[in-house]
Amino acid sequence: MKILFVLTSHDKLGDTGKKTGFWVEEFANPYYTLLDKGATITIATPKGGAAPIDPSSDSPEAATEATKRFNNDAEAKERIANTNVLADMNPDDFDAVFYPGGHGPLWDLANDKISIALIEKFNIQGKPIGFVCHAPAALKNVKNINGAPLVKGKKVTGFTNSEEAAVGLTNVVPFLVEDMMNENGGIYSKKDDWQAYAIQDGNLITGQNPASSELVAEKLLESLK
């Protein structure tokens, strides 16, 4: 199992003056879930180099067993500090792709032509494509083989409008994941705020929030068997 993890390079939270990036739990849990099952994982970002960590996700309140493991894992931290350049990645070299969330992807991966082409190629090849929380933002401009939005007619989930309101960022983010999914014709569903929820439709796997990261990883794993 060779799996590509795609992380954001974006670290500015709109005009707030605060930092963002990727959410540690959404990287760490799937990373270890897949690594412990023997997967070979490659990490890439649009710019390469250090992937920015959202400071909020590195706080004691956001800590999980997976984030604690990451914080004590020098090798994993080294890999996050030295990611590959996304443009250098070839979908033919991987069995699946996974996108962790955090608010960063709303700004860069949603509009990144390399990322869009990469997801489209994985999809054409019928390989599993997984996203959690804000990462489905990367699907905003992705098309299926017929030129329609990839999520059109597919069962999907992602960070909810009510969860975005709860963290006070509705008017900061460039768009809302739930709205985008619906506008693109996705069959969007969700559970209550902060409940673990993931859904799979064909090779497309999406999770609602940080608590859903393990479910997405498990579905990805199941798809590769």
Side-chain angles (χ1 to χ4, degrees):
M1 290 186 295
K2 292 181 177 173
I3 303 169
L4 177 63
F5 273 47
V6 180
L7 298 175
T8 181
S9 287
H10 186 88
D11 69 350
K12 291 183 182 65
L13 191 60
D15 299 324
T16 63
K18 294 178 181 172
K19 292 289 187 186
T20 188
F22 74 90
W23 200 261
V24 180
E25 159 66 17
E26 295 168 28
F27 164 78
N29 194 312
Y31 179 77
Y32 293 118
T33 298
L34 296 162
L35 197 69
D36 292 348
K37 290 285 196 256
T40 301
I41 296 170
T42 302
I43 305 169
T45 54
K47 293 180 180 175
I53 290 174
D54 188 310
S56 304
S57 74
D58 206 18
S59 64
E61 305 84 68
T64 64
E65 288 308 310
T67 65
K68 290 172 191 167
R69 183 172 167 186
F70 172 73
N71 283 329
N72 292 312
D73 186 343
E75 185 187 347
K77 290 173 97 168
E78 177 71 16
R79 298 184 71 187
I80 288 297
N82 297 281
T83 66
N84 294 281
V85 177
L86 191 58
D88 295 339
M89 299 296 104
N90 182 349
D92 296 343
D93 296 337
F94 302 97
D95 302 308
V97 66
F98 172 69
Y99 282 67
H103 283 89
L106 292 163
W107 278 275
D108 64 352
L109 293 170
N111 308 300
D112 189 280
K113 288 184 170 59
I114 302 289
S115 174
I116 292 163
L118 187 95
I119 298 167
E120 289 176 349
K121 182 82 183 286
F122 271 98
N123 185 57
I124 288 167
Q125 293 175 336
K127 293 173 180 174
I129 47 177
F131 307 82
V132 68
C133 196
H134 286 91
L139 292 164
K140 183 172 189 264
N141 294 301
V142 176
K143 303 282 192 273
N144 63 24
I145 49 172
N146 301 319
L150 180 68
V151 301
K152 188 175 182 182
K154 285 189 174 284
K155 295 172 185 168
V156 288
T157 189
F159 205 61
T160 68
N161 289 356
S162 51
E163 286 167 330
E164 202 67 84
V167 296
L169 294 172
T170 302
N171 298 318
V172 172
V173 294
F175 63 91
L176 297 166
V177 173
E178 179 179 340
D179 286 356
M180 180 275 289
M181 293 286 214
N182 285 317
E183 285 160 13
N184 279 359
I187 304 165
Y188 180 89
S189 60
K190 59 187 175 184
K191 282 197 174 177
D192 290 341
D193 289 2
W194 318 116
Q195 296 298 304
Y197 180 56
I199 193 161
Q200 180 166 2
D201 191 331
N203 62 326
L204 176 61
I205 304 162
T206 47
Q208 181 176 320
N209 48 33
S212 314
S213 57
E214 188 168 4
L215 290 176
V216 174
E218 286 168 353
K219 287 181 183 295
L220 198 67
L221 204 52
E222 197 59 37
S223 300
L224 289 167
K225 286 181 179 171

